[in-house]
Amino acid sequence: MNVVHGYTLLLVFLLGTSIIFGPPRLAPDAWLVELIAVVPAGALFLLFVGLAAAGNGGNLFDMLDKAWGRTIGRMWTLCYIVYFLYIASRNVRDMIELVMTSILRATPPSVLIFMFVLVIAYAASGGIAATGRLSVLIAALVGFFFFALALLLVFSGSVDTERLLPFLSEGLAKVLVVPLKSSIWFPYGELVVFLVFCSSFGTARTFRRTGWLAMISACLLLTFSDLLQTSVLGMENIVFSIFPLLDAARMISIFNFITRLDALVALLIILGVLVKCAVFVHAATIGASRTFGRHRRFAFSSALLVGAFSILVTHNNAEHFEEGLKYVIYWLHIPAQLVIPAATLMLLRIRYRKGEREHEPRRLHDRLEPNRTRRGRADA
Amino acid sequence: MTALGVWTIASMGLILLAGLDMLVYGESFYKACWHLLFDYTHVPAFVMIGAALLLAGWGDAGAAVLRRLRALRIREERK
C-alpha cells in the first residue's frame, strides 16, 4: 500500500462519522475542542507508533503474543476482535439512524443493515490494499460533497459568523478537559486498529508520518465542519441536534430551486462508514484467522456479526448516544486504546531489549560448539 | 474451526452487549441477557448470527470433504 493510499485511508477513517456528528456537545466551543484534541491524540498516536516500532514488522496480534505469551495473548486477541466488531456495529448503527431519518424512512432497518454488511464483507475480503485504493476515490467524493455543501450554505445565506459568539463563554478549562473525555478516544483513538496493518505502511517511520499528516488534515477538516455547523445552526440549536450537518444541509435553499440536500449528507456517512467498517472487519478477520485458521471465510461471517450487533447494540438513539459518550469510553476505549497497548509496549521493551534477542533459536554452530561466544571467539 | 471461531466471537459479543446494557440500565446480567435474547425485534439479528454460523460451518464441512477426497486419492495413487 503506497503513501497516498495509506494517507487517504487514514483520513477517510478519521472523518467517517465524525464529520456528520462532530464532537459531543460537552462544551460550547466545539470547534475549539476539535482543534485542541489533536494534541493529546497525537500523544496517543505516538504510543501506537512506538508499539509498531517495537513489534518489528509484526501486527498487533503478533505483539500481543510476544508480550503476553501465547495464552494471554490469544485472549487479548479475542477481546480485540470483539472490540473491533463492536465499534464497526456502532458505526453501522449511526449510519442506519441517519439514513432512516433522512432518506429511507419506510425501509426496515434490518434490510438496510443486511445489504450494507454484504458490501462491507466484499470490501473487507479484498484486503487492506484494495480498501486503500477505494479510499482514494471516497476521499475525493467526501471532500467534493463536503465543500459543495459548505459553498451552498454560504450562497444560501445561512452562515452567520456571529452565531459563533460568545467565545469561551464557559472558560478555557472546560474546553481543555473535554478532549480528554471524548475526542481523543473517538475518532483518533480508533487508529489502534491500524496496528493490525502497520506492516502494510512499510516502516514505523512511514506509518508515523502518514498518520500525523492524516490526523492534522482530519483535525482541520473537522474544525471547519464544526465552525460551519455552529455558524449555521447556532450554539443553542446545535446542542439539541442529533445530526448537525444534516440539519445544516436542510437550511440550503438557493432560489427555491436547490433544496433538500439531505441525500448528500447521507452519502457522506455511507461512504465513510463503508471504509471504517471494512477496516474493522478486516482487522477482526485477521485476528480470527490467526486464532482459528482459514482467513477468507471469516470476512463474510464477521460482517454478518457486525450487522447482528448493530441491531442488538441499543434500543434507541438516546441510549446509543449515552452508551457511546459515557460507558463505552471508560469500559472499552480507554482499556483497548491506552491501557493494553501501553502495557504491551512496556512488556515488549522489558522482554525484548534493544540489541538482545530473547528466545531466539540457537544457531547450528552454537549447538556444535557450545563454548563459542556470539562474536565467534571460543572461550578459553 | 471457522464455525467454532464465529460461535466464540458471537458469544463474546453478546456478553459484551449484555454487560453494556447492565451498565446503562443498572439491571442484573441475567435480566440484561433476557432482554437481549427474548425480544422479538432482535429476531433479524439472531437470523444473521445463524447465517454467519451456517456460512462458517458450510465452509468447514466443505473443507473436510475436500480433505477426505484428497486422502482417498493419495491412497489410490499409492496402490
Side-chain angles (χ1 to χ4, degrees):
Chain A
M1 188 163 61
N2 71 28
V3 176
V4 173
H5 295 162
Y7 167 73
T8 51
L9 182 63
L10 286 164
L11 180 64
V12 176
F13 184 90
L14 287 170
L15 289 178
T17 49
S18 310
I19 205 167
I20 309 293
F21 294 103
R25 311 295 165 185
L26 302 174
D29 302 296
W31 62 273
L32 194 57
V33 167
E34 203 67 68
L35 205 57
I36 291 170
V38 78
V39 175
L44 186 64
F45 183 68
L46 282 177
L47 169 66
F48 298 155
V49 170
L51 200 50
N56 253 347
N59 63 28
L60 172 66
F61 307 123
D62 294 328
M63 294 174 220
L64 289 170
D65 276 355
K66 272 171 78 174
W68 297 88
R70 193 183 165 89
T71 311
I72 300 177
R74 290 290 160 100
M75 188 191 82
W76 286 134
T77 300
L78 278 173
C79 290
Y80 267 103
I81 292 167
V82 175
Y83 173 67
F84 292 151
L85 292 181
Y86 175 76
I87 299 303
S89 70
R90 286 190 67 85
N91 282 292
V92 170
R93 184 57 180 260
D94 286 338
M95 189 269 298
I96 292 296
E97 291 286 346
L98 187 139
V99 165
M100 286 183 62
T101 303
S102 60
I103 48 177
L104 298 173
R105 293 180 191 184
T107 310
S110 327
V111 172
L112 289 171
I113 289 170
F114 181 70
M115 290 197 297
F116 192 69
V117 297
L118 289 181
V119 177
I120 292 171
Y122 184 68
S125 64
I128 196 66
T131 311
R133 288 190 289 271
L134 175 67
S135 67
V136 176
L137 175 66
I138 288 178
L141 285 171
V142 167
F144 173 72
F145 287 137
F146 178 68
F147 285 111
L149 274 172
L151 272 171
L152 288 170
L153 278 167
V154 169
F155 288 143
S156 68
S158 304
V159 175
D160 182 5
T161 49
E162 284 194 9
R163 292 193 185 115
L164 295 169
L165 301 171
F167 181 58
L168 292 176
S169 57
E170 293 187 23
L172 188 60
K174 197 165 185 180
V175 170
L176 292 174
V177 164
V178 165
L180 295 172
K181 281 186 185 175
S182 62
S183 302
I184 184 179
W185 315 113
F186 170 79
Y188 300 106
E190 291 176 345
L191 291 176
V192 70
V193 72
F194 284 96
L195 285 174
V196 182
F197 313 110
C198 50
S199 58
S200 303
F201 287 86
T203 59
R205 199 175 173 192
T206 316
F207 179 49
R208 188 187 69 214
R209 282 183 181 169
T210 315
W212 267 118
L213 204 59
M215 282 175 71
I216 290 167
S217 309
C219 169
L220 292 172
L221 280 167
L222 289 172
T223 305
F224 178 65
S225 172
D226 290 332
L227 278 168
L228 191 70
Q229 290 165 25
T230 309
S231 56
V232 169
L233 297 174
M235 287 197 198
E236 297 83 16
N237 295 330
I238 209 169
V239 171
F240 301 108
S241 172
I242 298 172
F243 307 113
L245 193 63
L246 180 70
D247 290 338
R250 283 176 173 161
M251 308 279 279
I252 295 173
S253 175
I254 297 177
F255 300 122
N256 268 338
F257 178 65
I258 300 176
T259 57
R260 295 186 59 91
L261 292 176
D262 308 4
L264 270 185
V265 176
L267 201 56
L268 276 176
I269 196 171
I270 288 169
L271 295 173
V273 170
L274 172 65
V275 169
K276 273 191 98 161
C277 290
V279 170
F280 279 122
V281 168
H282 189 54
T285 305
I286 290 174
S289 66
R290 189 186 156 74
T291 311
F292 300 105
R294 295 208 183 97
H295 176 82
R296 286 193 187 278
R297 286 195 202 107
F298 279 108
F300 280 86
S301 299
S302 300
L304 284 168
L305 287 181
V306 165
F309 292 163
S310 68
I311 295 171
L312 298 171
V313 67
T314 48
H315 295 97
N316 51 55
N317 221 10
E319 184 192 333
H320 185 66
F321 283 119
E322 189 190 348
E323 197 174 284
L325 284 176
K326 274 167 68 174
Y327 302 99
V328 172
I329 287 176
Y330 295 109
W331 289 94
L332 288 181
H333 286 331
I334 291 178
Q337 294 171 11
L338 178 63
V339 176
I340 297 171
T344 306
L345 180 61
M346 205 169 65
L347 281 169
L348 283 174
R349 289 255 187 260
I350 292 168
R351 293 181 70 175
Y352 296 88
R353 286 201 191 93
K354 207 172 179 182
E356 290 180 21
R357 290 176 192 173
E358 197 182 319
H359 306 306
E360 187 185 39
R362 294 178 70 193
R363 292 164 291 186
L364 179 62
H365 64 262
D366 286 341
R367 272 182 264 151
L368 291 174
E369 296 180 46
N371 294 329
R372 185 177 283 273
T373 64
R374 283 190 177 174
R375 290 184 182 170
R377 295 190 304 255
D379 287 332
Chain B
M1 277 302 276
T2 319
L4 174 68
V6 172
W7 182 84
T8 307
I9 294 165
S11 307
M12 287 177 71
L14 290 173
I15 290 170
L16 171 67
L17 293 174
L20 285 167
D21 279 347
M22 270 174 71
L23 291 170
V24 171
Y25 290 107
E27 53 190 14
S28 66
F29 184 70
Y30 171 77
K31 264 203 166 172
C33 290
W34 182 271
H35 289 142
L36 203 65
L37 295 172
F38 299 107
D39 183 344
Y40 73 96
T41 58
H42 294 168
V43 167
F46 289 105
V47 169
M48 284 195 214
I49 292 174
L53 284 167
L54 200 68
L55 197 64
W58 185 264
D60 286 344
V65 165
L66 284 173
R67 271 199 305 271
R68 180 77 180 132
L69 286 173
R70 197 179 303 127
L72 283 170
R73 196 187 71 225
I74 292 169
R75 200 182 298 166
E76 285 292 322
E77 282 169 6
R78 279 182 190 161
K79 278 182 191 173

